[in-house]
Amino acid sequence: MAQTRASKTATPAGSTGDFPPFNQRHLLSIADLKQHEIIDLLDRAERMVPVSRQERKTLPTLAGKTQINLFFEPSTRTQGSFEIAGKRLGAPVMNMSVKTSSVSKGETLIDTATTLNAMRPDVIVVRHSAAGAVELLSQKVGCAVINAGDGAHEHPTRALLDALTIRNHKGRISGLTVAICGDIANSRVVRSNLLLLGALNVRTRVIAPRNLLPAGIEHLATEVFTDMREGLKDVDVVMMLRLQHERANGRMIPSVREYYRFYGLDAEKLSFAKPDCIVMHPGPMNRGVEIDPAIADGPASVVTEQVEMGVAVRMAVLDALLPARNEI
Amino acid sequence: MSRPLLIENARIVDPASGTDQQGAVLVENGVISDIAFGGPVGVPEDAEVFNAKGHVLSPGLIDMRVFTGEPGKEYRETPASAGEAAAAGGVTSFVMMPDTTPVVDDSALIDFLIRRAKATSKVNVLPAAAITKGLDGQEMTEFGLLKEAGAVCITDGRRSIQSTSLLRTVMSYAANYGLTVVHHVSDKGLTGDGVMNEGLFATILGLKGIPREAETIPLARDLQLAALTGTKYHAAQISCAASVDLVAAAKKRNTSVTAGISINNPALNENDIGRYRTFFKLSTPLRSEDDRRAVIEGLRNGTIDTLHSDHDPQDSEVKRQPFAEASDGAIGLETLLAAALRLVHSGDVDLLTVLRAMTSRPADILGLPSGRIAEAHRPTSSRSISIILGRSPSAKSVHARTIPPLKARDLLARCCAQSWAGKPSTPMSRRADP
């Protein structure tokens, strides 16, 4: 496992001047990243963690630059995390929440992109309900674009923060076994995580009832399970996914109680995992639906740390995409 | 009255008669008056002579599935603009789908379209009538009156009727009038919100998939109902290997069923979507490479009868959208022949077979006299002749309005039918067949 610039202790918090330039214009998907770029971003993020823990939490990195958070789909957590990340790096952040539906077509996505581009932002963070929408928008603007989730496609900063959390706890990523459990078919987190973990030589498992497994998933994950106990056997990490309540209406899943019985994470099922297994969840958690409250808030849970790492990862991505160039 | 036209030294390919040999054709007053293989033709003195050496002379193509926007969405396409594209692509007749605004579910609209097309379009526009009023899949239209007015077949276009009992009634009643039922097979529930072929690639892109069963299940139902009712049934557009098998099996028992494919399915596969290229978002989605091979084989062995463009112009406003939100459809009239000839150049299907699927087979299914040139089938209008040349087109010369999935520059062959496709104002076009 390639380690880690961040272990050099002499560098001040948040300084990334010793990293090689990050050669991507946007962060649209994990699929676009090479292994060394993933590790580079994780190392940069590790450098950002202490910034948020010190009293003065602001760096001048993005001073004078403009960040727009363009959310076509509400997401309090992700939007807040990106906003804090931008502000800690000194950028003014504008939040735009666009209520949209494919039915009521007023302004098209491209119109929106062109309009925003004319305001000359330096980075746009985009969340959209349609897969590929963020990439389409990125083709129409002159600044960096960060994908904060596009449909069921990708959510790259989510995968990065999960990886950083795992590395903090396990000291490594490569060689671990990670199980992802829940609504695999409709999750954007799964695709990004499988790609990222795959690139770092992790054995990945997905666990779900058969009707929540998308076609071809066996080519993306190392192993596929429909039995949660089997799937959790000897894993180092279990990532739970949020079950959308509306799916448990009898058309996808018969009921919450049946789902919880077979796919909810409780102490008994978790006992099949390694003793030091950590439990992750992208939040917000449905306690009693996909996870037992005792596990959600228990010692194995690293959920709040994931939130903290989220800010660090987003700071690192902003810093990598918008390096302090020679100012005029 | 135009001058007589002699086309000499052509390779005359006429699938209806199985002809493929050198010869000459004389066109007088808009109809073929003489054909000669080898020997000389009696040529009137004032005849215009076209030396077609190195070129193929084929019956004009009949495209079974073209969407325009007249009436209602003229900015997309009109019979006139589609006629330009068709003529440039060697298509001399096309079946116009009924999903206009208003829907072509009334005989007065058939009458309007026939007049309008004759006045404005370079090629023969064959109106198809809706099966159900407003295409809403509930109430039957007046098949008899629609046929009398000139509808060549009945179809709900890109809509698929979900009610099995209604379909049974439709097929029985259509058999009354000898109307061919052209039906798009798509199960609404299984298609759901799907936007592309279901499989690994859709999963990677995070897009909802359309399983093949959304096509095969209603197709199996339709084929059984066709046998039950004895109607002439044409599966409008199939895309997967299992569908080809179903049609092959049904044809063994029932000779009145036929099937068509869009040129997109033998020419492209799901991987062409790449990173969300919405120009490849089609209704009847692009399937896997195995399915592509299977439809080509079906075309080769005759299980698949017809090959059409599925010409469906969309403006860039509705195409330049995130993939799931973009409209289905792409243009194809002008590139149909050239793309079809790729199947010949690749050695997959021979020229006679490919041309048959675009000439005499559609004519048989629709009961048209056109789609053939050989002696036994005369008279035929010169408006139904295509000359295929071997030169490559430039993208600039593509007539239609949006970017086609098959870019002109990718295509080897080119046709120049417009010289003989007539002009709207000439007497020749008014005598158009059928």
Side-chain angles (χ1 to χ4, degrees):
Chain A
M1 163 92 221
Q3 289 284 359
T4 91
R5 237 177 282 272
S7 54
K8 290 181 230 159
T9 45
T11 37
S15 155
T16 53
D18 54 329
F19 281 85
F22 186 71
N23 285 322
Q24 298 270 355
R25 185 168 163 225
H26 309 297
L27 181 66
L28 300 175
S29 83
I30 295 293
D32 296 333
L33 300 180
K34 296 186 178 64
Q35 187 195 45
H36 72 86
E37 290 171 318
I38 293 169
I39 292 167
D40 180 87
L41 284 176
L42 295 178
D43 291 346
R44 285 167 181 263
E46 208 160 311
R47 216 51 95 63
M48 295 297 171
V49 174
V51 177
S52 300
R53 290 177 180 171
Q54 65 201 14
E55 201 170 344
R56 286 179 61 89
K57 297 183 173 63
T58 315
L59 297 175
T61 320
L62 298 191
K65 298 192 172 167
T66 311
Q67 174 184 338
I68 297 180
N69 290 344
L70 177 62
F71 277 60
F72 291 90
E73 200 180 67
S75 164
T76 321
R77 290 158 174 254
T78 305
Q79 185 170 336
S81 181
F82 270 108
E83 181 174 356
I84 288 211
K87 286 182 171 164
R88 290 209 171 136
L89 293 177
V93 180
M94 184 183 87
N95 286 311
M96 277 188 74
S97 298
V98 189
K99 281 272 178 293
T100 182
S101 85
S102 56
V103 187
S104 64
K105 273 177 199 144
E107 196 179 43
T108 67
L109 180 64
I110 288 177
D111 287 338
T112 310
T114 317
T115 307
L116 285 183
N117 193 46
M119 300 178 192
R120 300 206 166 270
D122 297 281
V123 58
I124 307 181
V125 179
V126 189
R127 157 74 60 96
H128 197 285
S129 57
V134 180
E135 179 164 338
L136 178 63
L137 186 139
S138 76
Q139 294 161 5
K140 300 292 161 189
V141 297
C143 64
V145 172
I146 299 172
N147 182 0
D150 61 329
H153 179 223
E154 282 224 40
H155 191 355
T157 55
R158 177 89 237 165
L160 286 163
L161 78 86
D162 285 343
L164 184 61
T165 309
I166 294 171
R167 195 168 79 175
N168 291 346
H169 277 269
K170 302 291 176 188
R172 66 191 173 111
I173 298 178
S174 169
L176 297 176
T177 303
V178 176
I180 308 177
C181 180
D183 185 358
I184 307 291
N186 297 292
S187 169
R188 55 173 74 106
V189 182
V190 170
R191 285 158 182 81
S192 289
N193 264 317
L194 289 176
L195 288 165
L196 189 150
L197 296 171
L200 299 182
N201 307 316
V202 170
R203 288 183 64 81
T204 52
R205 296 177 176 182
V206 294
I207 309 168
R210 203 166 282 280
N211 54 337
L212 294 180
L213 289 169
I217 189 71
E218 65 279 10
H219 299 289
L220 299 177
T222 319
E223 289 169 290
V224 179
F225 293 88
T226 52
D227 182 304
M228 196 166 177
R229 291 175 183 82
E230 268 176 48
L232 289 184
K233 197 159 190 315
D234 297 329
V235 301
D236 298 285
V237 178
V238 51
M239 293 181 176
M240 298 305 296
L241 298 174
R242 184 180 157 77
L243 182 80
Q244 304 287 335
H245 276 294
E246 59 268 24
R247 296 199 200 287
N249 62 357
R251 297 185 70 87
M252 289 296 283
I253 297 292
S255 67
V256 164
R257 78 172 184 179
E258 175 150 307
Y259 185 79
Y260 181 70
R261 170 79 177 74
F262 291 94
Y263 296 97
L265 186 66
D266 55 19
E268 188 267 329
K269 296 193 191 91
L270 186 58
S271 70
F272 286 81
K274 282 193 184 154
D276 61 345
C277 175
I278 55 170
V279 175
M280 306 174 80
H281 193 293
M285 288 187 278
N286 293 312
R287 291 179 176 81
V289 178
E290 71 261 353
I291 193 162
D292 182 339
I295 302 294
D297 308 311
S301 167
V302 296
V303 173
T304 49
E305 190 182 334
Q306 286 175 274
V307 178
E308 185 185 3
M309 291 308 118
V311 175
V313 157
R314 284 155 189 147
M315 287 169 76
V317 169
L318 287 166
D319 175 69
L321 291 176
L322 302 176
R325 296 213 176 78
N326 304 327
E327 301 296 334
I328 303 159
Chain B
M1 194 83 4
S2 52
R3 287 166 65 197
L5 169 69
L6 176 73
I7 303 168
E8 60 178 11
N9 297 322
R11 177 181 166 194
I12 298 176
V13 178
D14 179 36
S17 59
T19 306
D20 182 355
Q21 62 183 114
Q22 292 292 320
V25 164
L26 181 66
V27 182
E28 283 181 299
N29 299 328
V31 294
I32 294 173
S33 60
D34 203 1
I35 302 177
F37 299 106
V41 193
V43 187
E45 255 178 37
D46 59 339
E48 179 189 343
V49 178
F50 178 80
N51 186 349
K53 193 166 164 46
H55 300 156
V56 166
L57 179 80
S58 130
L61 307 188
I62 302 168
D63 190 330
M64 291 276 287
R65 188 176 167 96
V66 169
F67 296 89
T68 79
E70 185 169 351
K73 291 206 166 64
E74 286 82 356
Y75 64 93
R76 283 195 185 158
E77 189 84 285
T78 61
S81 63
E84 295 284 339
V91 175
T92 52
S93 307
F94 65 78
V95 179
M96 189 184 138
M97 292 293 113
D99 70 331
T100 45
T101 316
V103 168
V104 185
D105 55 7
D106 187 284
S107 51
L109 277 158
I110 297 281
D111 191 57
F112 162 76
L113 280 174
I114 290 173
R115 287 162 189 278
R116 181 82 182 137
K118 271 193 183 155
T120 61
S121 186
K122 274 186 175 179
V123 302
N124 303 306
V125 177
L126 312 169
I131 300 173
T132 59
K133 287 177 189 161
L135 303 177
D136 63 3
Q138 305 291 330
E139 294 171 46
M140 278 196 294
T141 56
E142 299 157 323
F143 298 170
L145 293 176
L146 289 162
K147 189 186 180 184
E148 233 171 46
V152 293
C153 62
I154 49 170
T155 179
D156 269 2
R158 55 170 81 77
R159 304 277 191 91
S160 191
I161 295 169
Q162 302 296 308
S163 161
T164 311
S165 64
L166 177 64
L167 263 174
R168 179 185 179 174
T169 309
V170 163
M171 288 194 199
S172 312
Y173 190 60
N176 244 20
Y177 300 100
L179 268 171
T180 306
V181 178
V182 179
H183 195 218
H184 183 67
V185 280
S186 168
D187 183 273
K188 201 176 168 191
L190 281 177
T191 301
D193 302 330
V195 294
M196 67 173 288
N197 184 42
E198 182 173 283
L200 174 62
F201 195 46
T203 297
I204 288 172
L205 290 175
L207 294 173
K208 289 220 166 72
I210 303 172
R212 292 171 181 80
E213 288 71 15
E215 174 176 305
T216 56
I217 290 172
L219 177 64
R221 171 201 63 193
D222 284 11
L223 292 169
Q224 291 175 57
L225 288 176
L228 176 69
T229 57
T231 199
K232 288 198 280 177
Y233 171 83
H234 182 69
Q237 187 165 275
I238 61 173
S239 65
C240 37
S243 298
V244 177
D245 293 345
L246 282 170
V247 172
K251 280 187 163 187
K252 284 185 190 146
R253 302 186 298 269
N254 179 3
T255 51
S256 63
V257 297
T258 51
I261 51 170
S262 154
I263 184 62
N264 296 315
N265 289 90
L268 304 163
N269 70 23
E270 59 179 345
N271 297 308
D272 286 294
I273 290 167
R275 288 186 81 153
Y276 306 105
R277 291 152 78 187
T278 56
F279 293 106
F280 297 91
K281 184 173 185 235
L282 304 166
S283 166
T284 308
L286 298 174
R287 297 287 183 183
S288 70
E289 176 62 7
D290 288 346
D291 292 308
R292 190 184 78 86
R293 300 300 317 173
V295 295
I296 291 173
E297 174 56 22
L299 184 66
R300 195 195 62 74
N301 67 26
T303 303
I304 288 165
D305 300 89
T306 65
L307 181 60
H308 60 247
S309 68
D310 194 23
H311 183 80
D312 188 3
Q314 301 290 338
D315 53 281
S316 54
E317 176 96 356
V318 296
K319 271 302 197 187
R320 297 213 57 84
Q321 294 276 353
F323 196 89
E325 296 175 3
S327 295
D328 296 323
I331 62 169
L333 259 174
E334 191 169 354
T335 46
L336 168 65
L337 175 58
L341 289 176
R342 282 213 303 205
L343 302 173
V344 178
H345 297 146
S346 64
D348 288 314
V349 191
D350 65 64
L351 182 62
L352 263 174
T353 305
V354 163
L355 287 176
R356 182 178 296 122
M358 298 184 288
T359 57
S360 59
R361 285 306 287 146
D364 295 343
I365 290 164
L366 300 171
L368 306 174
S370 56
R372 54 202 84 224
I373 40 181
E375 202 129 13
H377 304 287
R378 281 189 293 152
T380 296
S381 157
S382 67
R383 211 182 176 188
S384 318
I385 302 171
S386 286
I387 305 276
I388 303 169
L389 300 178
R391 72 189 163 84
S392 178
S394 69
K396 234 190 216 168
S397 72
V398 174
H399 279 68
R401 298 179 178 184
T402 46
I403 301 164
L406 294 159
K407 287 219 181 105
R409 65 166 180 273
D410 301 332
L411 302 167
L412 198 64
R414 168 68 161 171
C415 25
C416 77
Q418 63 263 61
S419 329
W420 291 282
K423 293 188 184 76
S425 56
T426 63
M428 187 155 91
S429 67
R430 295 218 181 274
R431 210 191 331 276
D433 68 318

